[in-house]
Amino acid sequence: MADTAERPAQSGLMERPPTPEEIDSAAHAATAIAVAMELDGGLKVSGENGDPVSIAPEVGKLIIELLGHVSNGNMVTLVPVGTMLTTQQAADMLNVSRPHLTKLLKEGKIRFEEVGKHRRVPLMALMQYREEKERRQEQAMRDLARLGQEFDNA
């Protein structure tokens, strides 16, 4: 695989991991923005004609979170909440195969909509499934730990 420095400049962080320079830049930017927000109670940047523009604290937090992912070397994709995903996109987000995702859809574990011959998965339905799965896994780990303690005490 080619070194990240040899990749085309137009290739964005949705298609490739960040370069070491981008990681360093994101880390410094996240820190600078966090400090500026703490000092000013928000973020102020220069807009058109040099006029100051205030960025709301919640938007600033999103920017810091985004930069944090980049500074950890992660590829980043922004997806609006109301987005409808293809089955391949949904499978990629869950880190499962598309056939496995299709099985989950057919079993009714994840809500989807038919668009012509294609299935589309609402992002919110996918996030709900992922959160429920994480809760089930955490509960299973607690149950396993409890059983282990009971076994040790027997």
Side-chain angles (χ1 to χ4, degrees), residues 41-125:
L43 182 60
K44 294 182 179 39
V45 296
S46 294
E48 291 181 39
N49 304 321
D51 296 334
V53 175
S54 294
I55 296 176
E58 292 304 314
V59 175
K61 290 176 189 175
L62 282 174
I63 294 169
I64 292 169
E65 183 177 350
L66 171 70
L67 291 169
H69 288 293
V70 174
S71 71
N72 286 328
N74 297 321
M75 292 181 6
V76 178
T77 301
L78 296 176
V79 183
V81 172
T83 298
M84 298 294 280
L85 305 168
T86 65
T87 53
Q88 186 61 61
Q89 291 169 325
D92 290 345
M93 289 184 74
L94 290 179
N95 198 25
V96 299
S97 68
R98 194 181 58 75
H100 180 71
L101 177 87
T102 301
K103 178 181 161 219
L104 295 172
L105 298 177
K106 287 178 181 177
E107 292 173 350
K109 295 185 178 178
I110 302 173
R111 185 172 52 83
F112 69 94
E113 296 178 18
E114 296 271 346
V115 179
K117 297 187 291 182
H118 304 283
R119 295 180 183 99
R120 293 292 182 259
V121 181
L123 177 63
M124 292 305 294

Side-chain angles (χ1 to χ4, degrees), residues 19-40:
T19 64
E21 296 79 20
E22 290 166 336
I23 289 170
D24 187 56
S25 172
H28 285 96
T31 301
I33 291 170
V35 168
M37 286 182 56
E38 190 171 312
L39 293 174
D40 299 335

Side-chain angles (χ1 to χ4, degrees), residues 90-97 100-101 104 109-110 124-142:
D92 290 345
M93 289 184 74
L94 290 179
N95 198 25
V96 299
S97 68
H100 180 71
L101 177 87
L104 295 172
K109 295 185 178 178
I110 302 173
M124 292 305 294
L126 193 69
M127 295 298 101
Q128 287 171 342
Y129 171 79
R130 190 160 64 179
E131 288 170 13
E132 289 170 13
K133 183 178 176 186
E134 286 173 7
R135 275 195 295 273
R136 287 191 309 270
Q137 289 173 334
E138 288 170 7
Q139 184 60 49
M141 290 300 289
R142 284 191 296 272

